[in-house]
Amino acid sequence: MDLLDNLALGLETAFQLENVLYCLLGVVLGTAVGVLPGIGPTATIAMLLPITFSLEPVPALIMLAGIYYGAQYGGSTTAILINLPGESSAAVTAIDGHEMARQGRAGPALAAAALGSFFAGTVATVVLAVFAPPLARAALQFGSAEYFSLVVLGLIASIALARGSTLKALAMITLGVLLGTVGQDIYTGTPRFTMGARELFGGLDFVSVAVGVFGVAEILRNLENEKTRTALVRRVSGLWPSREDLRRIVGPVLRGTGLGSLLGVLPGGGHVLAAFASYSVEKRISKTPERFGRGAIEGVAAPESANNAAAQTSFIPLLTLGLPAHPVMALMIGAFIVQGITPGPNVIDEQPALFWGLIASMWIGNLLLVMLNLPLIGLWVRMLAIPYQWLFPAIVVFAAIGTFSLDFNAFDVYAVAVFGVLGYVLIKCGCEPAPLLLGFVLGPLLEEHLRRALIISRGDPSVFVTRPISAVLLALALGALVVAVLPAIRRKREEVFVEDD
């Protein structure tokens, strides 16, 4: 009965007119920006994050969640129509989705993606509602030693699941943690790495780092790539799939939903792994595997279902443990903190309307996506025709205005420019910015629990291995690091992610 009572509270919160409107605004904004090639959900949320900080916590976080899955839907649209995935997990969708578009079947491909995403999102939200509370209750038993080990596990696991060089991913984590130490010492108040700048005494601004490293850097990268600026989009017609199409997608949608719900909680790239794994499963069990890569609708429905299910269940470690499963969740943690809320197991007891309202809003958001995006597909297609030399400067200007409006501090805008250049340089050097953001968000938490555990144990470092839960978490972190550096595993991981390069 507790679950039903909590869901009733969530639905009552989510169905408040203000929250429904902000959910609607979130999914529309997310889709509108996510449909632009090369930007994706992370950059979308990073650039739109400032506009939510003047809101109350519940509508702000509901809107951000709507932006997230709205941007993911937009990413699949570009993958199908012009073979340019808006997000890494949509790379698999492009394989058969764009082939269907070339055959004049873009409508059924888009419908399969929308229906699969809606079903998967609905089911995964139920999984979130069922499993988040007991996990949160278990997390309440954690002390500082356990939290330190948990953060270490999250950071190491994100390296193990990242694509590309393990050494570069580790370097990005380290750089992020170091950037997180800028400002006054959490216990003594001594300024650290501020270089005498009073604006840095409070630490680097999270929004400036996120908008710069993801938003501005991604725009700079896309502007130099001529291919992303040329798109030929055919007229989309006949949206509703045939009865044969519907019959073909039922099994892939169910399997993709289950796989995505399971893999979404993994740190790093669970949603990406879910999309690739679901596509591989469907191709392997198909009686006609030769159809895949040539316009098989199953190759669209399965990864889109897995991707959307993983998007919902990635909120489980965020809401229960305060740990981000991937960069978008790191941005969500920043939003929680700016709103004065500490993400973690206490949220469910201290902010029940927020916790359950956010979960219930995901049902509303997914329904709005289906109701709005299929009829509005013509609008999204026309957006693809906007010249980038007009579009991207406007996005940068709005991002700068949003960042400045938070504290009316020009230093934050300069920081956006600096981190934009830094992010672009890192991309050119083959480094992923995502681990940097995870390290930046989790670094202060790592330091706080490390120092608190040592204070409680009177400086005895063995506290991290003598407490059973902490020892198990550190052992898992060590295992993840071993997996990450094994050459055979590393080569396999790079092969899996080669579609995203």
Side-chain angles (χ1 to χ4, degrees):
M1 288 302 293
D2 286 344
L3 178 61
L4 295 179
D5 292 340
N6 290 328
L7 288 177
L9 172 63
L11 289 171
E12 180 184 354
T13 303
F15 273 111
Q16 292 177 10
L17 181 59
E18 179 189 24
N19 294 334
V20 173
L21 290 176
Y22 279 113
C23 184
L24 173 62
L25 181 60
V27 297
V28 171
L29 279 176
T31 307
V33 183
V35 80
L36 302 174
I39 297 182
T42 306
T44 300
I45 291 185
M47 290 183 289
L48 296 177
L49 194 61
I51 67 177
T52 66
F53 290 160
S54 60
L55 304 176
E56 292 296 319
V58 175
L61 293 168
I62 285 177
M63 181 176 172
L64 281 176
I67 291 173
Y68 174 37
Y69 38 80
Q72 283 194 308
Y73 183 89
S76 67
T77 300
T78 58
I80 292 170
L81 294 180
I82 60 176
N83 200 27
L84 282 174
E87 203 259 339
S88 53
S89 57
V92 194
T93 306
I95 299 173
D96 284 281
H98 185 61
E99 193 63 30
M100 289 181 67
R102 292 180 60 188
Q103 298 167 8
R105 302 190 67 229
L110 290 167
L115 295 174
S117 295
F118 172 69
F119 177 82
T122 301
V123 173
T125 303
V126 175
V127 174
L128 172 60
V130 171
F131 288 101
L135 186 57
R137 286 193 293 270
L140 288 172
Q141 308 303 316
F142 282 23
S144 289
E146 286 79 10
Y147 264 112
F148 169 80
S149 301
L150 183 63
V151 173
V152 170
L153 173 60
L155 292 174
I156 297 299
S158 69
I159 296 173
L161 294 174
R163 61 189 175 101
S165 168
T166 299
L167 183 61
K168 289 179 179 178
L170 183 59
M172 290 299 96
I173 288 282
T174 304
L175 177 60
V177 172
L178 289 175
L179 290 174
T181 63
V182 173
Q184 293 178 300
D185 183 278
I186 57 177
Y187 286 105
T188 66
T190 305
R192 303 181 299 187
F193 310 116
T194 59
M195 298 175 288
R198 296 186 62 182
E199 293 86 352
L200 291 177
F201 276 34
L204 289 167
D205 184 66
F206 170 78
V207 176
S208 299
V209 175
V211 172
V213 170
F214 284 101
V216 176
E218 282 296 311
I219 286 175
L220 292 174
R221 183 180 68 84
N222 281 288
L223 283 176
E224 73 170 15
N225 189 349
E226 190 68 27
K227 185 181 73 170
T228 62
R229 288 182 282 172
T230 57
L232 176 63
V233 182
R234 299 184 179 185
R235 181 175 179 84
V236 179
S237 60
L239 281 174
W240 193 251
S242 66
R243 181 174 297 181
E244 176 63 18
D245 288 334
L246 292 173
R247 185 188 66 80
R248 287 182 178 276
I249 68 174
V250 170
V253 166
L254 292 174
R255 288 185 288 270
T257 299
L259 197 58
S261 299
L262 181 64
L263 296 179
V265 298
L266 294 178
H271 62 306
V272 182
L273 291 177
F276 277 89
S278 64
Y279 185 86
S280 300
V281 167
E282 294 307 317
K283 186 174 181 180
R284 186 176 297 274
I285 67 175
S286 174
K287 296 179 180 178
T288 54
E290 66 278 1
R291 294 175 50 250
F292 285 77
R294 299 180 180 178
I297 196 169
E298 300 96 316
V300 176
E304 279 302 304
S305 301
N307 175 28
N308 203 272
Q312 311 297 323
T313 56
S314 64
F315 279 87
I316 291 178
L318 169 72
L319 293 174
T320 59
L321 303 174
L323 287 178
H326 51 77
V328 172
M329 293 299 107
L331 293 170
M332 293 291 290
I333 281 187
F336 269 90
I337 293 172
V338 169
Q339 293 287 348
I341 300 170
T342 302
N346 290 319
V347 172
I348 192 171
D349 293 323
E350 297 175 359
Q351 302 274 350
L354 170 65
F355 183 91
W356 293 104
L358 182 60
I359 291 176
S361 74
M362 296 177 186
W363 281 315
I364 300 173
N366 278 283
L367 180 61
L368 290 173
L369 276 175
V370 175
M371 293 172 60
L372 289 176
N373 282 301
L374 290 179
L376 292 179
I377 190 63
L379 174 63
W380 310 136
V381 169
R382 282 193 290 273
M383 284 188 60
L384 294 172
I386 300 176
Y388 273 20
Q389 61 265 30
W390 299 348
L391 186 66
F392 279 175
I395 293 176
V396 173
V397 168
F398 283 123
I401 291 173
T403 303
F404 177 77
S405 66
L406 295 179
D407 295 315
F408 297 100
N409 188 350
F411 184 85
D412 293 339
V413 180
Y414 297 143
V416 170
V418 170
F419 281 104
V421 173
L422 174 63
Y424 176 72
V425 171
L426 292 175
I427 291 172
K428 298 300 289 184
C429 293
C431 298
E432 284 189 273
L436 184 150
L437 186 64
L438 291 174
F440 179 74
V441 171
L442 294 178
L445 189 65
L446 186 76
E447 179 189 11
E448 180 183 353
H449 287 297
L450 170 65
R451 295 175 67 173
R452 186 181 297 171
L454 290 175
I455 290 172
I456 293 173
S457 66
R458 299 185 178 182
D460 182 9
S462 66
V463 67
F464 298 107
V465 294
T466 54
R467 294 173 69 98
I469 296 178
S470 176
V472 169
L473 293 173
L474 287 178
L476 291 174
L478 180 62
L481 186 60
V482 170
V483 168
V485 300
L486 284 177
I489 300 296
R490 184 170 66 248
R491 285 196 299 271
K492 181 65 176 176
R493 187 177 67 253
E494 290 171 351
E495 291 172 6
V496 169
F497 286 100
V498 72
E499 294 286 349
D500 186 35
D501 293 331

